[in-house]
Amino acid sequence: MVCALGAAVCFGTATVLQAVAAREAGTGGGGEAALLLRALRQWRYIAGLALDGLGFLFQIAALRSLPIYAVGAALAASLAVTAVVAARLLRVRLSGTEWTAVAVVCAGLAMLGLASGPEGEEGGSDALRYVMLAVAVGMLLLSLAAGRLSGASRALVLGLGAGFGFGVVEVSVRLIDSLAPAGLLTNPAAYALVIGGGAAFVLLTSALQRGSVTAATAGLVIGETIGPAAVGVVWLGDRTRDGLAWLAVLGFLVAVAGALALARFGEAPVAAEEG
């Protein structure tokens, strides 16, 4: 759980940096690829990517020892980190309700830590690997078409797409059983990890720059927690400690609910700048 929390700290801090950079990069024209290229010229975005890379290493380590549902809930809790970082560094005021939500997230993670068993021992079928690849390709196509989407639901769709992309990464890590070059080249999960992660970054950048970032962040939390958790339990054998399944379910729901209550902090840096 320490590695999962380390990943949450990295991702949560990166969100603050990337939200500012994405908004600053959104003044030019072009499609989603152009937006990403402009964002890559911002030092805050680069720093955020560095933290994302470190967080990803923590995430891999966590997924090798914890069930996906526990890691997913911890990653969703990165919003609590974002809220605290925004409050400390950007002087964003947290209401009493939002501080309560931070405490709720921590309580949910504590319950998950107590109830989580070891990761499932099932390696996953080839069919599941190809399903992950298909989902990753679908998210890539969505990222290419993101600029054509419009309406109030745009941000939510982009956020959900980013969440599904990151969810593919979570599951794919568990489906890679060999790091040998020959094994990676023949494993569909390896391609799913790269494509899903890349598409998720593009979708998240677009979501942070356009529309309601609160809605996008809520979609991100839902997409990266519920689906991967279900896959872990149903197909990869993730379980809880004996007699503590109820505590794991409660902790998962509490942590995700607290994270959703903090969804507005996907755009906290912007509010700070305008204030």
Side-chain angles (χ1 to χ4, degrees):
M1 184 60 79
V2 172
C3 288
L5 294 177
V9 170
C10 291
F11 292 145
T13 306
T15 296
V16 177
L17 299 173
Q18 289 171 333
V20 174
R23 292 294 175 117
E24 291 179 351
T27 56
E32 304 310 304
L35 170 62
L36 182 59
L37 289 175
R38 289 195 300 273
L40 287 171
R41 299 190 186 104
Q42 305 284 333
W43 72 265
R44 293 182 184 87
Y45 199 84
I46 298 299
L49 286 179
L51 284 173
D52 282 331
L54 180 59
F56 181 63
L57 295 178
F58 281 131
Q59 179 184 357
I60 291 176
L63 287 167
R64 291 297 184 181
S65 59
L66 288 174
I68 292 178
Y69 63 79
V71 178
L75 296 182
S78 65
L79 285 176
V81 177
T82 299
V84 173
V85 171
R88 294 287 184 181
L89 300 184
L90 301 171
R91 298 181 181 177
V92 175
R93 290 183 177 272
L94 272 68
S95 67
T97 300
E98 287 163 342
W99 279 117
T100 301
V102 172
V104 166
V105 168
C106 294
L109 292 177
M111 286 186 273
L112 272 173
L114 290 173
S116 297
E119 68 169 356
E121 296 180 356
E122 298 179 25
S125 64
D126 288 339
L128 181 58
R129 291 179 172 84
Y130 281 107
V131 168
M132 290 299 103
L133 179 58
V135 174
V137 171
M139 294 308 99
L140 178 61
L141 294 176
L142 176 61
S143 71
L144 296 176
R148 302 178 183 178
L149 299 177
S150 61
S153 62
R154 182 182 190 276
L156 180 61
V157 170
L158 293 178
L160 278 171
F164 287 144
F166 288 128
V168 167
V169 172
E170 292 176 32
V171 176
S172 296
V173 167
R174 288 278 297 276
L175 296 176
I176 297 175
D177 49 14
S178 173
L179 296 179
L184 290 175
L185 289 174
T186 57
N187 190 340
Y191 298 97
L193 188 153
V194 174
I195 295 172
F201 270 117
V202 174
L203 288 167
L204 183 57
T205 300
S206 182
L208 289 173
Q209 191 271 323
R210 296 171 178 151
S212 170
V213 183
T214 300
T217 306
L220 173 69
V221 170
I222 293 171
E224 73 176 350
T225 54
I226 297 177
V231 171
V233 171
V234 176
W235 284 286
L236 298 178
D238 287 346
R239 295 294 182 266
T240 65
R241 294 182 182 178
D242 291 341
L244 292 180
W246 65 273
L247 185 60
V249 172
L250 180 60
F252 179 86
L253 294 176
V254 166
V256 172
L260 290 174
L262 294 167
R264 82 170 181 93
F265 283 94
E267 58 186 345
V270 180
E273 284 188 337
E274 291 175 351

